[in-house]
């Protein structure tokens, strides 16, 4: 195998480390919410927009790919801040339904608009062809890393 093929291993490691060190995930946004809490608000809104009037912890857990206790912790924080309501299902009291308050709905809309603006700007910067390539390559990288972790 050619040495040239692997000459950018160090560059790839550095790029991934830069993403890992980026504090985007750690910053608070819009009233002190964590990005994970914003993602949860968006998740609940998108579920509602798809016709699911009330969603529950296990559905959010699957969509966000985090554990139910993590969702519950975020949920408690969002309830305390007035963004989300939790109620028992009318037909099965074991199921907890989660809905957005007006405040939560408005913040979810604002966040979705912001994400669209950021990614539209990225597409404008890269162009359609490079954006399509980036999506394809990131999906390939994700799949590879999932496989590599499983085999370790």
């Amino acid at each position: 195998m050619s040495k040239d093929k692997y000459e950018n291993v160090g560059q790839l490691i550095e790029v991934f480390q830069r993403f890992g060190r980026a504090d985007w995930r750690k910053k608070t946004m819009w009233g002190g919410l964590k990005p994970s809490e914003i993602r949860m608000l968006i998740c609940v809104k998108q579920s509602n927009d798809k016709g699911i009037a009330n969603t529950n912890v296990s559905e959010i857990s699957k969509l966000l790919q985090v554990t139910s206790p993590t969702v519950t912790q975020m949920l408690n924080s969002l309830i305390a801040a007035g963004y989300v309501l939790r109620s028992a299902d009318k037909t099965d009291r074991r199921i907890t339904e989660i809905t957005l308050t007006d405040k939560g709905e408005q913040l979810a809309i604002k966040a979705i608009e912001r994400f669209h603006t950021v990614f539209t700007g990225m597409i404008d910067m890269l162009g359609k062809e490079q954006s399509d390539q980036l999506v394809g390559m990131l999906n390939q990288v994700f799949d590879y890393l999932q496989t590599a972790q499983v085999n370790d």
Side-chain angles (χ1 to χ4, degrees):
M1 288 187 211
S2 155
K3 184 176 180 179
D4 293 340
K5 181 177 178 180
Y6 300 106
E7 70 185 33
N8 61 354
V9 168
Q11 291 172 317
L12 280 171
I13 291 169
E14 176 57 29
V15 168
F16 276 89
Q17 286 176 340
R18 285 176 55 204
F19 276 101
R21 288 190 305 261
D23 56 352
W24 304 314
R25 296 168 304 178
K26 299 171 196 143
K27 287 186 178 179
T28 58
M29 312 162 80
W30 301 306
L33 294 182
K34 298 173 190 165
S36 58
E37 293 168 332
I38 298 291
R39 283 192 306 276
M40 183 171 170
L41 292 176
I42 291 170
C43 179
V44 173
K45 173 157 182 33
Q46 289 174 336
S47 290
N48 292 343
D49 290 350
K50 289 177 183 172
I52 303 167
N54 300 306
T55 190
N56 60 48
V57 171
S58 62
E59 290 169 5
I60 293 171
S61 175
K62 283 183 230 168
L63 291 169
L64 295 178
Q65 297 181 343
V66 297
T67 65
S68 290
T70 299
V71 170
T72 300
Q73 185 179 7
M74 286 189 290
L75 178 60
N76 290 337
S77 174
L78 290 170
I79 290 169
Y83 293 105
V84 174
L85 296 173
R86 175 176 35 205
S87 59
D89 184 274
K90 292 165 186 61
T91 58
D92 187 344
R93 309 275 308 156
R94 296 170 298 175
I95 298 173
T96 301
E97 297 176 335
I98 300 159
T99 56
L100 297 177
T101 63
D102 287 340
K103 180 179 174 182
E105 176 86 12
Q106 293 306 311
L107 187 55
I109 290 168
K110 183 177 176 180
I112 290 168
E113 289 171 354
R114 175 69 180 134
F115 290 138
H116 279 272
T117 299
V118 167
F119 285 96
T120 299
M122 186 185 305
I123 291 169
D124 289 343
M125 180 196 70
L126 294 173
K128 173 87 168 98
E129 185 178 331
Q130 282 188 310
S131 296
D132 289 344
Q133 289 173 353
L134 178 61
V135 169
M137 290 186 337
L138 287 174
N139 280 319
Q140 286 178 315
V141 168
F142 181 84
D143 292 343
Y144 168 76
L145 291 176
Q146 287 288 98
T147 303
Q149 287 179 346
V150 169
N151 293 331
D152 281 347

